[in-house]
Amino acid sequence: MSPAFSLCVYCGSRPGLEPAYAQAARLVGRWIAANRGQLVYGGGHNGLMGMMADACLEAGGRVVGVIPKALVEKEWAHTGCSELHVVENMHERKQLMAERADAFLALPGGIGTFEEFFEVWTWRQLGYHDKPVGLLNINGYYDSLLAFLASAVKQGFMSRWQMELVQSESDLERLLKSLISQAGMASEKKQLDRF
Ligand code: AMP
């Protein structure tokens, strides 16, 4: 049976210092499984990435991992994934993850997470895709980034509509439901557009 949705999640290859991050990563994994969805992620077993994938698999969910061959050892590729794709490089990883996703979500993480999140956001504003993009602001982790982005709007380097392309939320369940329902609406619209 095909999954109800595919959610691509970017998050830290480290666990972070506060237990709230690990807890959120595990909840995301379990929520995807409980709602018969599929997790698409970077395929590693380290940090939040590994915890989220393990939680999803343990709860009976489907997990698609995509990892560049150079990182198979460094990021400890997750051999328990339902599908593990070992690709040539980072560009192929990001492209395949984006293709397999109905929606994107960033959890707390480091520069890899930031880069992936900003890329799918900028692709959205350029019209390369129309998939929803979310930012989970657990424990106020992204408060200072959001404040900086608000100042970029104030200083005239960004538009409000660009900001509105990202949903940032501290309530995990509300954000997940909203992303999945928007992804569903976008795909229904595409099907209608064909007629
Ligand atoms: P981090 O948030 O830095 O812990 O990294 C999270 C994930 O992002 C890891 O799987 C990294 O391999 C990945 N990553 C690091 N750099 C990049 C990049 N330039 N593009 C895409 N992913 C990256």
Side-chain angles (χ1 to χ4, degrees):
M1 205 171 68
S2 61
F5 60 85
S6 244
L7 181 63
C8 175
V9 185
Y10 307 121
C11 60
S13 56
R14 304 176 195 201
L17 293 182
E18 297 291 333
Y21 304 131
Q23 195 191 357
R26 291 195 181 100
L27 281 173
V28 169
R30 276 189 225 123
W31 190 91
I32 293 171
N35 289 280
R36 293 175 291 107
Q38 168 170 274
L39 168 66
V40 176
Y41 87 117
H45 215 156
N46 293 337
L48 298 189
M49 296 171 69
M51 294 172 190
M52 171 179 65
D54 282 343
C56 187
L57 290 165
E58 277 159 29
R62 235 187 107 60
V63 175
V64 178
V66 186
I67 194 161
K69 63 181 179 194
L71 295 182
V72 163
E73 278 181 25
K74 191 166 167 235
E75 293 195 352
W76 194 22
H78 197 317
T79 50
C81 287
S82 323
E83 279 176 49
L84 180 67
H85 299 270
V86 178
V87 294
E88 280 304 309
N89 53 47
M90 197 57 92
H91 293 293
E92 277 186 24
R93 176 200 236 179
K94 291 192 292 184
Q95 189 174 352
L96 185 56
M97 286 169 73
E99 278 169 16
R100 296 292 299 265
D102 299 317
F104 303 98
L105 171 64
L107 306 188
I111 51 174
T113 304
F114 305 153
E115 201 266 352
E116 293 167 314
F117 162 71
F118 277 106
E119 184 171 73
V120 289
W121 183 10
T122 53
W123 283 358
R124 170 84 198 251
Q125 64 124 17
L126 293 169
Y128 290 176
H129 70 82
D130 60 356
K131 301 172 184 178
V133 179
L135 184 70
L136 186 63
N137 189 16
I138 287 291
N139 200 32
Y141 182 71
Y142 283 119
D143 283 354
S144 43
L145 175 67
L146 292 166
F148 173 72
L149 292 168
S151 113
V153 173
K154 250 193 184 154
Q155 296 293 324
F157 285 104
M158 277 177 64
S159 310
R160 216 165 283 282
W161 70 265
Q162 292 174 309
M163 269 311 289
E164 286 164 3
L165 295 177
V166 170
Q167 289 180 64
S168 59
E169 262 282 357
S170 55
D171 185 320
L172 191 156
E173 175 111 20
R174 197 159 54 197
L175 181 56
L176 288 167
K177 278 187 181 160
S178 164
L179 291 173
I180 298 315
S181 82
Q182 278 184 49
M185 284 188 293
S187 75
E188 271 166 34
K189 185 176 173 302
K190 250 185 232 149
Q191 291 193 357
L192 287 175
D193 288 346
R194 281 200 223 128
F195 293 99

mmCIF file of all heavy atoms in Angstrom, residues 11-14 42 44 49 68 71 75 90 93-94 108-116, ligand 1:
data_model
loop_
_atom_site.group_PDB
_atom_site.id
_atom_site.type_symbol
_atom_site.label_atom_id
_atom_site.label_comp_id
_atom_site.label_asym_id
_atom_site.label_seq_id
_atom_site.Cartn_x
_atom_site.Cartn_y
_atom_site.Cartn_z
ATOM 1 N N CYS A 11 17.182 17.669 9.824
ATOM 2 C CA CYS A 11 17.466 17.912 11.251
ATOM 3 C C CYS A 11 18.919 17.577 11.541
ATOM 4 O O CYS A 11 19.646 17.072 10.682
ATOM 5 C CB CYS A 11 16.520 17.109 12.134
ATOM 6 S SG CYS A 11 16.602 15.335 11.919
ATOM 7 N N GLY A 12 19.329 17.866 12.784
ATOM 8 C CA GLY A 12 20.733 17.764 13.146
ATOM 9 C C GLY A 12 21.311 16.360 13.074
ATOM 10 O O GLY A 12 20.652 15.381 13.429
ATOM 11 N N SER A 13 22.564 16.294 12.647
ATOM 12 C CA SER A 13 23.291 15.026 12.742
ATOM 13 C C SER A 13 23.908 14.916 14.143
ATOM 14 O O SER A 13 24.673 14.006 14.420
ATOM 15 C CB SER A 13 24.372 14.941 11.663
ATOM 16 O OG SER A 13 25.246 16.047 11.767
ATOM 17 N N ARG A 14 23.591 15.886 14.986
ATOM 18 C CA ARG A 14 23.963 15.822 16.412
ATOM 19 C C ARG A 14 22.660 15.896 17.219
ATOM 20 O O ARG A 14 21.663 16.401 16.720
ATOM 21 C CB ARG A 14 24.822 17.014 16.790
ATOM 22 C CG ARG A 14 26.052 17.153 15.927
ATOM 23 C CD ARG A 14 26.801 18.404 16.310
ATOM 24 N NE ARG A 14 27.770 18.736 15.295
ATOM 25 C CZ ARG A 14 28.826 19.510 15.509
ATOM 26 N NH1 ARG A 14 29.035 20.034 16.697
ATOM 27 N NH2 ARG A 14 29.661 19.769 14.527
ATOM 28 N N GLY A 42 17.937 12.238 5.409
ATOM 29 C CA GLY A 42 19.304 12.092 4.903
ATOM 30 C C GLY A 42 19.970 10.739 5.093
ATOM 31 O O GLY A 42 21.125 10.564 4.680
ATOM 32 N N GLY A 44 21.135 9.062 7.641
ATOM 33 C CA GLY A 44 22.179 8.808 8.643
ATOM 34 C C GLY A 44 21.591 8.254 9.937
ATOM 35 O O GLY A 44 20.377 8.283 10.154
ATOM 36 N N MET A 49 18.743 12.875 13.470
ATOM 37 C CA MET A 49 18.359 12.143 12.254
ATOM 38 C C MET A 49 18.103 10.663 12.578
ATOM 39 O O MET A 49 17.071 10.093 12.205
ATOM 40 C CB MET A 49 19.459 12.252 11.188
ATOM 41 C CG MET A 49 19.693 13.664 10.691
ATOM 42 S SD MET A 49 21.161 13.811 9.638
ATOM 43 C CE MET A 49 20.669 12.925 8.179
ATOM 44 N N PRO A 68 24.859 10.472 0.484
ATOM 45 C CA PRO A 68 25.959 10.430 -0.496
ATOM 46 C C PRO A 68 26.979 9.365 -0.090
ATOM 47 O O PRO A 68 27.183 9.143 1.111
ATOM 48 C CB PRO A 68 26.602 11.827 -0.386
ATOM 49 C CG PRO A 68 25.684 12.659 0.415
ATOM 50 C CD PRO A 68 24.850 11.723 1.252
ATOM 51 N N LEU A 71 29.502 9.868 2.627
ATOM 52 C CA LEU A 71 29.070 10.046 4.017
ATOM 53 C C LEU A 71 28.565 8.758 4.660
ATOM 54 O O LEU A 71 28.146 8.771 5.813
ATOM 55 C CB LEU A 71 27.968 11.112 4.099
ATOM 56 C CG LEU A 71 28.371 12.538 3.716
ATOM 57 C CD1 LEU A 71 27.194 13.490 3.901
ATOM 58 C CD2 LEU A 71 29.538 13.005 4.567
ATOM 59 N N GLU A 75 28.447 9.447 8.502
ATOM 60 C CA GLU A 75 27.133 9.688 9.115
ATOM 61 C C GLU A 75 26.456 8.375 9.506
ATOM 62 O O GLU A 75 25.291 8.372 9.860
ATOM 63 C CB GLU A 75 26.248 10.518 8.179
ATOM 64 C CG GLU A 75 26.798 11.917 8.028
ATOM 65 C CD GLU A 75 25.815 12.897 7.425
ATOM 66 O OE1 GLU A 75 24.744 12.486 6.977
ATOM 67 O OE2 GLU A 75 26.158 14.085 7.415
ATOM 68 N N MET A 90 26.157 15.275 -2.811
ATOM 69 C CA MET A 90 25.162 16.028 -2.046
ATOM 70 C C MET A 90 24.038 16.570 -2.941
ATOM 71 O O MET A 90 22.889 16.630 -2.537
ATOM 72 C CB MET A 90 25.895 17.176 -1.339
ATOM 73 C CG MET A 90 25.151 17.797 -0.232
ATOM 74 S SD MET A 90 24.677 16.635 1.054
ATOM 75 C CE MET A 90 26.034 16.744 2.187
ATOM 76 N N ARG A 93 21.645 13.875 -3.551
ATOM 77 C CA ARG A 93 20.893 13.597 -2.316
ATOM 78 C C ARG A 93 19.735 14.583 -2.183
ATOM 79 O O ARG A 93 18.585 14.199 -1.985
ATOM 80 C CB ARG A 93 21.807 13.741 -1.105
ATOM 81 C CG ARG A 93 21.075 13.567 0.198
ATOM 82 C CD ARG A 93 21.851 14.170 1.360
ATOM 83 N NE ARG A 93 22.124 13.224 2.425
ATOM 84 C CZ ARG A 93 22.789 13.521 3.516
ATOM 85 N NH1 ARG A 93 23.279 14.726 3.691
ATOM 86 N NH2 ARG A 93 22.992 12.628 4.461
ATOM 87 N N LYS A 94 20.055 15.856 -2.320
ATOM 88 C CA LYS A 94 19.019 16.873 -2.090
ATOM 89 C C LYS A 94 17.925 16.792 -3.149
ATOM 90 O O LYS A 94 16.744 16.963 -2.849
ATOM 91 C CB LYS A 94 19.662 18.262 -2.053
ATOM 92 C CG LYS A 94 20.527 18.425 -0.805
ATOM 93 C CD LYS A 94 20.932 19.849 -0.573
ATOM 94 C CE LYS A 94 21.889 20.321 -1.629
ATOM 95 N NZ LYS A 94 22.355 21.678 -1.325
ATOM 96 N N PRO A 108 15.384 21.452 14.677
ATOM 97 C CA PRO A 108 16.678 22.005 15.045
ATOM 98 C C PRO A 108 17.845 21.219 14.428
ATOM 99 O O PRO A 108 17.763 19.989 14.272
ATOM 100 C CB PRO A 108 16.680 21.905 16.578
ATOM 101 C CG PRO A 108 15.235 22.074 16.922
ATOM 102 C CD PRO A 108 14.509 21.300 15.855
ATOM 103 N N GLY A 109 18.875 21.932 14.075
ATOM 104 C CA GLY A 109 20.051 21.299 13.472
ATOM 105 C C GLY A 109 21.147 22.320 13.292
ATOM 106 O O GLY A 109 21.067 23.443 13.809
ATOM 107 N N GLY A 110 22.155 21.954 12.520
ATOM 108 C CA GLY A 110 23.300 22.829 12.273
ATOM 109 C C GLY A 110 23.345 23.301 10.830
ATOM 110 O O GLY A 110 22.298 23.377 10.167
ATOM 111 N N ILE A 111 24.548 23.558 10.322
ATOM 112 C CA ILE A 111 24.636 24.189 8.997
ATOM 113 C C ILE A 111 24.035 23.343 7.873
ATOM 114 O O ILE A 111 23.490 23.884 6.921
ATOM 115 C CB ILE A 111 26.073 24.629 8.618
ATOM 116 C CG1 ILE A 111 27.066 23.501 8.807
ATOM 117 C CG2 ILE A 111 26.504 25.849 9.416
ATOM 118 C CD1 ILE A 111 28.463 23.877 8.294
ATOM 119 N N GLY A 112 24.146 22.014 7.986
ATOM 120 C CA GLY A 112 23.546 21.159 6.955
ATOM 121 C C GLY A 112 22.033 21.356 6.907
ATOM 122 O O GLY A 112 21.433 21.502 5.836
ATOM 123 N N THR A 113 21.435 21.381 8.084
ATOM 124 C CA THR A 113 19.982 21.590 8.186
ATOM 125 C C THR A 113 19.600 22.972 7.650
ATOM 126 O O THR A 113 18.639 23.101 6.883
ATOM 127 C CB THR A 113 19.549 21.465 9.671
ATOM 128 O OG1 THR A 113 19.976 20.198 10.148
ATOM 129 C CG2 THR A 113 18.051 21.625 9.834
ATOM 130 N N PHE A 114 20.374 23.988 8.025
ATOM 131 C CA PHE A 114 20.056 25.358 7.572
ATOM 132 C C PHE A 114 20.091 25.411 6.041
ATOM 133 O O PHE A 114 19.220 25.960 5.388
ATOM 134 C CB PHE A 114 21.064 26.395 8.099
ATOM 135 C CG PHE A 114 21.237 26.409 9.597
ATOM 136 C CD1 PHE A 114 22.437 26.835 10.166
ATOM 137 C CD2 PHE A 114 20.204 26.009 10.441
ATOM 138 C CE1 PHE A 114 22.606 26.851 11.548
ATOM 139 C CE2 PHE A 114 20.379 26.026 11.831
ATOM 140 C CZ PHE A 114 21.584 26.446 12.375
ATOM 141 N N GLU A 115 21.164 24.823 5.494
ATOM 142 C CA GLU A 115 21.348 24.898 4.046
ATOM 143 C C GLU A 115 20.180 24.238 3.303
ATOM 144 O O GLU A 115 19.639 24.779 2.346
ATOM 145 C CB GLU A 115 22.681 24.231 3.689
ATOM 146 C CG GLU A 115 23.254 24.651 2.362
ATOM 147 C CD GLU A 115 22.866 23.729 1.232
ATOM 148 O OE1 GLU A 115 22.256 22.659 1.489
ATOM 149 O OE2 GLU A 115 23.151 24.070 0.090
ATOM 150 N N GLU A 116 19.785 23.075 3.795
ATOM 151 C CA GLU A 116 18.701 22.334 3.127
ATOM 152 C C GLU A 116 17.377 23.088 3.252
ATOM 153 O O GLU A 116 16.599 23.186 2.307
ATOM 154 C CB GLU A 116 18.586 20.931 3.746
ATOM 155 C CG GLU A 116 19.797 20.066 3.449
ATOM 156 C CD GLU A 116 19.871 18.799 4.291
ATOM 157 O OE1 GLU A 116 19.662 18.865 5.518
ATOM 158 O OE2 GLU A 116 20.147 17.729 3.727
HETATM 159 P P1 AMP B 1 23.781 19.288 10.454
HETATM 160 O O1 AMP B 1 22.526 20.077 10.562
HETATM 161 O O2 AMP B 1 24.981 20.154 10.121
HETATM 162 O O3 AMP B 1 24.026 18.397 11.635
HETATM 163 O O4 AMP B 1 23.610 18.342 9.194
HETATM 164 C C1 AMP B 1 22.420 17.658 8.977
HETATM 165 C C2 AMP B 1 22.502 16.936 7.662
HETATM 166 O O5 AMP B 1 22.704 17.889 6.623
HETATM 167 C C3 AMP B 1 23.642 15.930 7.544
HETATM 168 O O6 AMP B 1 23.105 14.744 6.957
HETATM 169 C C4 AMP B 1 24.592 16.564 6.564
HETATM 170 O O7 AMP B 1 25.233 15.633 5.721
HETATM 171 C C5 AMP B 1 23.674 17.391 5.721
HETATM 172 N N1 AMP B 1 24.423 18.449 5.045
HETATM 173 C C6 AMP B 1 25.579 19.022 5.400
HETATM 174 N N2 AMP B 1 25.982 19.936 4.491
HETATM 175 C C7 AMP B 1 25.052 19.934 3.544
HETATM 176 C C8 AMP B 1 24.870 20.619 2.327
HETATM 177 N N3 AMP B 1 25.718 21.529 1.863
HETATM 178 N N4 AMP B 1 23.780 20.337 1.611
HETATM 179 C C9 AMP B 1 22.901 19.439 2.052
HETATM 180 N N5 AMP B 1 23.019 18.757 3.175
HETATM 181 C C10 AMP B 1 24.067 18.987 3.916
#
